[in-house]
Amino acid sequence: MSRKGENIYKRKDGRWEGRYIKRRNSAKTFYGYVYGKTYREAKMLLIQAKANVQANGIVPPGKEAKMSCSLPGGEHKMIRALPEKEQEISHFLPGENQDITLFQAAGEWLECKRSSFKESTLVKYQNMLQCYILPALGECRISSINRKQVKNFTQSLLNSGGRKGNGLSAKTVSDTLSLLRGILKFALENDIQVNYIACNLPSKQNPRPLRVFGIGEQQTLCKYLSENMTYSNLGILLSLFTGLRVGELCALKWGDISFSDRTLHVQRTMQRLQTEEKGGAKTKILISTPKSKCSERKIPLMDGILKRLSAMRKPPETFFLTGSQTDFMEPRTMQNRFKAVLRACGLADANFHALRHTFATRCVEAGGDAKSLSEILGHANVKITLNRYVHPTMEQKRENMRKLEQLPGITELFAVK
C-alpha cells in the first residue's frame, strides 16, 4: 500500500519504490522508478527525480544517477539510485483522465502491483477479475460506481455466481469485494474521481455444511488404511492426525520429519496454477512457501504415527508420497486417491480437506486448547480455528447441559414434591 498520493510503495524485498512520470504522448505514459532502503530515502529520491524531469528532461534509461537530497534534521546525503526501469502503461494517465473505466483502472493496478505479489496470489486476483469483477463492472466508469451497483453485484455473486450458477461462498465474495476496493482506492490515490469505495457491504450467506468424519467413520477409514498401507494411504493417515492441507502433504519431503524431535516441519506447499504463456501449457505445478508465515509451522507427532513413518522411512531429500527426488504426486491426484479410498471403505463422499476438519474436531473433543490447535493448523488467530474447524457434536452439547444441571442448587429447582 502506498503512502496516500505519493506513489511510494514498500516492495516484497524490503526496499521502497517510488514511481514518477518520465514522459507522455497522446496514448501512453512512460514511468520511471527510484529505490531506497527506507521510505525517507525513496521520498527524497522521488522529489529529486521529478525535479530533474522538469528541469532537464528524461534521465537515460538503464543508467545510474547520483542524487543529492536533504533529509529531515538537516542531514545532506548523496544517494546512488539503482538503475531505473521504464515501463509502458497505456491504461490511463493519472491526474488527467477523470472518466476511465474499471477495466482500465484494474489493468493499471495489476501492472503496478505485479512485482509485490506471490505468483499464486497474482493468478488468484487475475481469475477474480476475469470471472467476477470485469464481466459485471468492467465497462462502468469509475466515477459512476455507487453503493447500489456494488450491492447488486454482491447479491448476484452470492445467489448465482460460480460456474454452476448456484452462488459463491461468503469468503469468495468477501475476497472479491476486497479486490474491488483495492482497485478503487488505487484509482483515488492516482487522482481519478471515485465517488464510492466498496466497503462494509454485507456478504453473509448460509454457511455450507462442512464434512467431518464421525468416530465410527474414522475407525473404518483407519482400519482400511492400516490394512492397505501404501505411501498415498500413509499420507491420508498423516493428514488425519496432523491436519495437513493437501498441498502441504504433496510438497512434504522425508527430511521435513524429525524422528529425534518427533515433529513435522511444514515449510512448502504445492499447487497447480494457470500460466500466462501463449501456445504452451495452460497450467503448471508450483512448489513454494506456505500461504502465510503462520502456515509455516512444526507439528508434534503421535507415537503411533511415528511408528508408521519409521517403518516406511525414505531418504531425506525425497518426496514423502513418492520416495523420489524428482517425481511427486500433485494435489488433484491425491484428491482422487482419497476418494477411491472412501469408495473402497463404503464411506460417503468427502474432499481431502475433511481430514483437516476431522482432526480439529477430534482435538477439541479430546479437551485440547484452542490456541495450541490454532498453531498446529497454521491459523493467524484462534477465531479462525473456532469458527471454521471446530464443530461440537450433539453429545458434547448434552454433556454441557449435564454439567449445568450439576451446579449447586440447580437440581433442587426441578425436584418433584
Side-chain angles (χ1 to χ4, degrees):
M1 182 67 69
S2 71
R3 301 288 180 98
K4 187 173 181 180
E6 293 181 331
N7 274 334
I8 300 175
Y9 301 84
K10 190 168 186 180
R11 293 165 53 92
K12 200 171 182 179
D13 61 10
R15 295 180 298 164
W16 288 85
E17 174 186 297
R19 186 183 69 165
Y20 64 96
I21 296 173
K22 298 178 72 171
R23 70 173 184 272
R24 293 187 176 118
N25 58 33
S26 59
K28 299 174 183 177
T29 298
F30 296 86
Y31 291 100
Y33 296 81
V34 296
Y35 303 88
K37 292 182 179 179
T38 64
Y39 165 78
R40 186 173 62 173
E41 287 186 3
K43 184 174 182 178
M44 294 301 104
L45 286 169
L46 188 60
I47 293 172
Q48 183 65 49
K50 290 179 179 179
N52 286 343
V53 169
Q54 289 181 346
N56 306 315
I58 302 167
V59 178
K63 293 187 177 181
E64 291 184 337
K66 286 185 178 180
M67 298 182 182
S68 174
C69 36
S70 297
L71 302 176
E75 180 186 357
H76 195 73
K77 187 175 182 181
M78 293 295 295
I79 302 174
R80 180 177 293 275
L82 296 177
E84 294 181 313
K85 61 179 181 179
E86 186 173 76
Q87 185 175 2
E88 181 180 307
I89 300 293
S90 59
H91 298 296
F92 66 85
L93 308 180
E96 291 188 352
N97 188 342
Q98 297 294 313
D99 197 25
I100 66 166
T101 64
L102 183 64
F103 179 86
Q104 292 170 305
E108 170 78 0
W109 174 86
L110 200 61
E111 286 301 319
C112 185
K113 299 287 188 179
R114 184 181 294 271
S115 62
S116 62
F117 290 146
K118 288 180 63 175
E119 187 174 358
S120 56
T121 303
L122 181 63
V123 170
K124 174 185 175 182
Y125 287 158
Q126 287 175 325
N127 285 336
M128 289 167 64
L129 282 169
Q130 293 171 5
C131 296
Y132 310 136
I133 296 177
L134 296 182
L137 303 172
E139 296 304 316
C140 296
R141 298 289 171 180
I142 289 282
S143 59
S144 71
I145 294 177
N146 55 47
R147 177 181 173 83
K148 182 178 179 180
Q149 200 170 17
V150 177
K151 186 176 181 180
N152 291 338
F153 170 62
T154 302
Q155 291 303 318
S156 174
L157 293 180
L158 287 171
N159 297 331
S160 58
R163 292 181 186 175
K164 298 180 180 179
N166 56 359
L168 299 174
S169 69
K171 175 65 167 59
T172 302
V173 175
S174 178
D175 290 346
T176 303
L177 289 178
S178 179
L179 175 56
L180 175 60
R181 183 163 53 248
I183 295 169
L184 292 174
K185 285 184 177 180
F186 174 79
L188 185 64
E189 291 169 358
N190 283 275
D191 301 323
I192 302 302
Q193 182 181 345
V194 178
N195 294 321
Y196 178 70
I197 299 292
C199 60
N200 299 325
L201 280 174
S203 59
K204 293 184 179 179
Q205 189 182 35
N206 293 329
R208 298 174 181 175
L210 296 175
R211 179 79 161 91
V212 176
F213 291 109
I215 294 293
E217 290 180 306
Q218 186 169 347
Q219 290 173 342
T220 299
L221 179 59
C222 289
K223 184 174 184 295
Y224 177 87
L225 295 173
S226 298
E227 293 174 353
N228 300 272
M229 190 53 68
T230 62
Y231 282 101
S232 59
N233 286 354
L234 179 62
I236 295 172
L237 195 66
L238 181 64
S239 295
L240 183 59
F241 289 101
T242 60
L244 284 180
R245 302 176 177 94
V246 65
E248 295 169 342
L249 175 65
C250 291
L252 187 69
K253 293 189 175 183
W254 279 94
D256 297 324
I257 301 170
S258 174
F259 289 90
S260 57
D261 293 341
R262 309 165 70 82
T263 59
L264 184 156
H265 187 190
V266 180
Q267 54 184 331
R268 288 178 299 276
T269 189
M270 180 188 297
Q271 55 191 143
R272 182 171 283 280
L273 298 177
Q274 293 171 304
T275 64
E276 298 183 77
E277 299 176 5
K278 296 181 179 179
K282 294 183 179 180
T283 62
K284 67 177 181 180
I285 286 291
L286 176 68
I287 299 176
S288 62
T289 55
K291 58 188 296 186
S292 67
K293 286 192 175 182
C294 295
S295 293
E296 184 173 340
R297 61 203 187 274
K298 286 190 177 181
I299 302 174
L301 297 173
M302 297 165 48
D303 290 344
I305 290 293
L306 274 170
K307 289 179 182 178
R308 289 285 185 183
L309 294 173
S310 297
M312 302 180 69
R313 190 171 181 174
K314 288 288 185 179
E317 65 277 6
T318 61
F319 284 99
F320 179 83
L321 292 175
T322 62
S324 168
Q325 294 186 39
T326 55
D327 297 330
F328 51 78
M329 186 179 297
E330 67 171 284
R332 182 179 296 178
T333 302
M334 191 64 217
Q335 285 273 19
N336 292 336
R337 298 246 178 133
F338 174 62
K339 288 180 177 291
V341 166
L342 293 181
R343 289 193 295 270
C345 294
L347 298 178
D349 187 46
N351 60 35
F352 197 90
H353 215 66
L355 297 172
R356 185 170 166 87
H357 299 325
T358 303
F359 168 74
T361 303
R362 292 292 101 83
C363 285
V364 172
E365 291 173 354
D369 70 279
K371 179 60 178 175
S372 296
L373 176 58
S374 178
E375 293 186 3
I376 289 173
L377 291 172
H379 288 155
N381 57 65
V382 177
K383 184 178 178 181
I384 297 174
T385 308
L386 293 174
N387 289 344
R388 189 178 300 173
Y389 293 109
V390 180
H391 317 286
T393 63
M394 182 56 69
E395 185 54 38
Q396 284 180 285
K397 296 173 185 177
R398 287 197 177 100
E399 181 60 28
N400 286 334
M401 299 302 284
R402 283 194 289 268
K403 290 178 180 178
L404 175 63
E405 192 176 26
Q406 292 168 6
L407 291 174
I410 298 295
T411 303
E412 288 77 5
L413 291 175
F414 300 99
V416 180
K417 296 183 179 179

